[in-house]
Amino acid sequence: MDTPPKDTGRNQSGGALVAESAAGDNAQPLSVSEISQALKRAVEQRFGHVRIKGEISGFKRAASGHCYLGLKDEKAVIDGVIWKGQAARLAFAPEDGVEVIATGKLTTYPGRSKYQIVIDQLEVAGEGALMQLLEQRRKALAAEGLFAEERKRGLPFLPRTIGVVTSPTGAVIRDILHRLADRLPSHVLLWPVIVQGEGAAEQVARAVRGFDAMADGDGLTRPDLLIVARGGGSIEDLWAFNEEIVVRAIADCTIPVISAVGHETDTTLADFVADRRAPTPTAAAELAVPVRSELLAMLAQSASRADNAIRRHVARQSERLSSMARLLPRRESLFAAQAQRVDELADRLPRVLAGRVDLAQLALARRIDRLRPGLVEARLADGRTRLDGLSRLLEQLHPEKPLARGYARVMDRKGGTLVSAAAVRKAGAFTLRLADGDVDGRVESGRKPPYSKSRKPKAESRQGGLFD
């Protein structure tokens, strides 16, 4: 009888149900993290420095400042990351659809089991790709209306101060200052910047916005006009003036801006957005100010024309006045009637005055007759008689005249006359004015009169009577 085989835990296909380590097996199982780290080391050692050519896809900048993108061609896509420090030093702003060459190292991202390139340098893949990027950016900004003609402003005729944004050491600033001195010496403020390479776009944009934010004071005058300029060069050299940060700074500036970037055949987006484009920095100075000698000639010509115009006007008015004077009548005929009237009045005046004098003398004589001495004395005697009668009447009517005949005047404390018993009782106290003096008294309430109507009062006063 056969013995059944021992159960080893493997299924019929030969796989074990429970993992077992075979004797002498050196291939120990690895954890997911261990194999991921091993792959990461292998990839980074093998591809520690690579350059990959592809088209940017899905570019985005995180809040942290890191940038993420994809590089693709017709058959494959590889993810890429640009850390914050490297992203700030890029020579251009990455955009979808631009063909680039990315330099960096391959690594893996264990959290997603993906591999990616950590980009140290990003370049546009040739001038054709750079022109493609420039055209895409131009169309996008034009669609916003930043290049519209109606946005452009006129340049001031005689700017007091001109602000210049350019390199302080190049030939550009010397050419501008030299041409300004030749045409019309002007006050110039220079904001020094680098005009190509890393950080150039940021410095140019900061200078434009800085001039725009200036206010008069601290010995500086806010510019009336800006010139953004640099010399000629390749499209890579001029690329800072194609960056969106520069274009928007010029578009937002409230000061008119002249763009003078490169030579006559060079064109940048700064030229499209500026109020005026100059083919060269020297031409920008010529656009900024007129020629002083031409101004003086123009002023002299204007003064001469004004003088001639005044002379012609005076001559025409004189001629017109002479014509009108010939139409006027002679002076003698104008005043003949008035002169005759004056003569007539002069003849009548002595007679009228003599008659007035006679009438006045007659009136005076009549008044003199009225002022004869006898008539005057009679009027004075009559007046004295009337005055004496009035005096006697006034003396008789004086309120204290009857006091000499035994009458008394009853007064209140203020000297007013009391004419009724009710008034005396209301006053409470009174004064009797007699011929030889005053006597004060008071009213005692409830006391009956000392006499009636049928009984005459006694002459003497009693103790405690009406008088004090």
Side-chain angles (χ1 to χ4, degrees):
M1 182 176 183
D2 296 332
T3 302
K6 183 180 180 181
D7 187 1
T8 62
R10 297 178 180 274
N11 56 25
Q12 295 179 355
S13 61
L17 181 62
V18 177
E20 293 180 355
S21 298
D25 187 1
N26 294 326
Q28 296 298 319
L30 301 176
S31 67
V32 175
S33 297
E34 289 173 337
I35 192 65
S36 296
Q37 290 298 322
L39 287 172
K40 179 180 177 68
R41 287 192 298 270
V43 170
E44 290 180 351
Q45 290 173 2
R46 173 65 180 83
F47 302 99
H49 177 79
V50 295
R51 300 187 72 208
I52 301 176
K53 182 178 180 180
E55 180 182 318
I56 295 178
S57 174
F59 177 83
K60 65 179 180 180
R61 188 184 297 270
S64 62
H66 307 317
C67 298
Y68 301 92
L69 53 86
L71 295 175
K72 68 178 183 178
D73 58 14
E74 296 83 358
K75 298 180 180 179
V77 178
I78 183 172
D79 290 336
V81 59
I82 310 173
W83 302 129
K84 178 180 178 181
Q86 296 296 331
R89 292 192 289 270
L90 292 178
F92 70 101
E95 297 180 12
D96 287 355
V98 179
E99 190 175 21
V100 297
I101 296 177
T103 302
K105 67 177 181 179
L106 288 185
T107 186
T108 63
Y109 180 46
R112 292 286 184 272
S113 296
K114 295 167 57 177
Y115 67 92
Q116 61 186 6
I117 179 173
V118 177
I119 300 173
D120 296 327
Q121 183 178 354
L122 196 63
E123 304 167 300
V124 179
E127 188 170 323
L130 198 60
M131 295 302 295
Q132 178 187 0
L133 173 61
L134 177 61
E135 182 62 18
Q136 289 178 355
R137 187 173 294 171
R138 187 191 66 80
K139 289 180 179 180
L141 295 175
E144 296 183 28
L146 297 185
F147 304 153
E149 287 298 324
E150 55 268 21
R151 292 186 69 259
K152 300 183 183 299
R153 295 153 297 185
L155 305 182
F157 179 66
L158 285 174
R160 296 178 304 165
T161 302
I162 300 173
V164 179
V165 179
T166 191
S167 171
T169 58
V172 171
I173 185 62
R174 292 196 299 271
D175 292 344
I176 291 175
L177 294 176
H178 180 71
R179 185 49 57 95
L180 289 176
D182 287 344
R183 293 174 66 86
L184 184 67
S186 305
H187 181 58
V188 176
L189 288 179
L190 172 65
W191 195 302
V193 297
I194 58 174
V195 291
Q196 72 180 66
E198 182 181 330
E202 289 75 11
Q203 288 193 22
V204 172
R206 192 180 306 116
V208 172
R209 295 190 184 277
F211 271 134
D212 192 34
M214 281 182 60
D216 291 344
D218 297 332
L220 297 177
T221 303
R222 185 175 187 265
D224 304 309
L225 178 67
L226 293 186
I227 298 177
V228 178
R230 69 146 287 157
S234 65
I235 186 172
E236 295 87 350
D237 295 336
L238 305 180
W239 191 254
F241 298 89
N242 290 318
E243 292 289 2
E244 185 174 344
I245 188 175
V246 173
V247 175
R248 293 193 182 278
I250 295 176
D252 295 339
C253 185
T254 59
I255 304 173
V257 178
I258 298 176
S259 174
V261 179
H263 295 307
E264 188 168 356
T265 57
D266 298 324
T267 303
T268 65
L269 297 183
D271 297 327
F272 288 104
V273 74
D275 297 293
R276 292 288 296 274
R277 175 186 181 267
T280 63
T282 300
E286 294 175 354
L287 289 174
V289 295
V291 180
R292 182 175 182 273
S293 59
E294 294 178 358
L295 284 179
L296 294 176
M298 183 177 65
L299 289 175
Q301 184 180 8
S302 298
S304 177
R305 291 176 60 185
D307 184 64
N308 292 335
I310 293 173
R311 291 178 183 277
R312 288 194 299 271
H313 179 72
V314 171
R316 285 196 298 268
Q317 296 302 318
S318 298
E319 183 179 353
R320 183 182 178 188
L321 182 60
S322 299
S323 300
M324 295 176 65
R326 287 194 296 270
L327 298 176
L328 293 174
R330 295 178 62 83
R331 182 181 59 184
E332 293 79 3
S333 60
L334 284 174
F335 300 105
Q338 287 79 4
Q340 186 175 358
R341 177 65 174 166
V342 170
D343 292 340
E344 292 177 355
L345 293 175
D347 292 339
R348 292 174 56 189
L349 183 60
R351 295 193 299 272
V352 172
L353 291 177
R356 287 291 184 91
V357 171
D358 293 340
L359 292 175
Q361 289 178 347
L362 180 59
L364 180 61
R366 292 174 179 173
R367 286 178 171 79
I368 291 174
D369 290 341
R370 293 175 183 175
L371 294 176
R372 289 175 181 175
L375 182 59
V376 172
E377 292 177 358
R379 288 186 177 181
L380 289 175
D382 182 54
R384 290 194 193 96
T385 303
R386 293 178 61 190
L387 181 59
D388 292 340
L390 291 174
S391 298
R392 288 192 296 272
L393 178 60
L394 179 61
E395 184 179 357
Q396 293 296 325
L397 295 177
H398 194 280
E400 295 184 356
K401 185 68 175 178
L403 299 182
R405 300 195 300 272
Y407 292 95
R409 181 183 175 190
V410 183
M411 300 181 299
D412 58 19
R413 294 300 189 189
K414 297 181 180 179
T417 303
L418 301 175
V419 297
S420 66
V424 173
R425 286 192 295 271
K426 183 178 180 180
F430 57 89
T431 299
L432 291 179
R433 176 161 292 179
L434 303 173
D436 58 349
D438 294 344
V439 178
D440 294 330
R442 58 185 174 82
V443 177
E444 293 184 359
S445 59
R447 183 180 295 274
K448 294 182 180 180
Y451 60 89
S452 64
K453 292 183 179 179
S454 59
R455 186 179 178 182
K456 294 182 179 179
K458 294 182 180 181
E460 71 276 5
S461 62
R462 295 178 299 174
Q463 184 71 24
L466 294 176
F467 305 106
D468 292 336

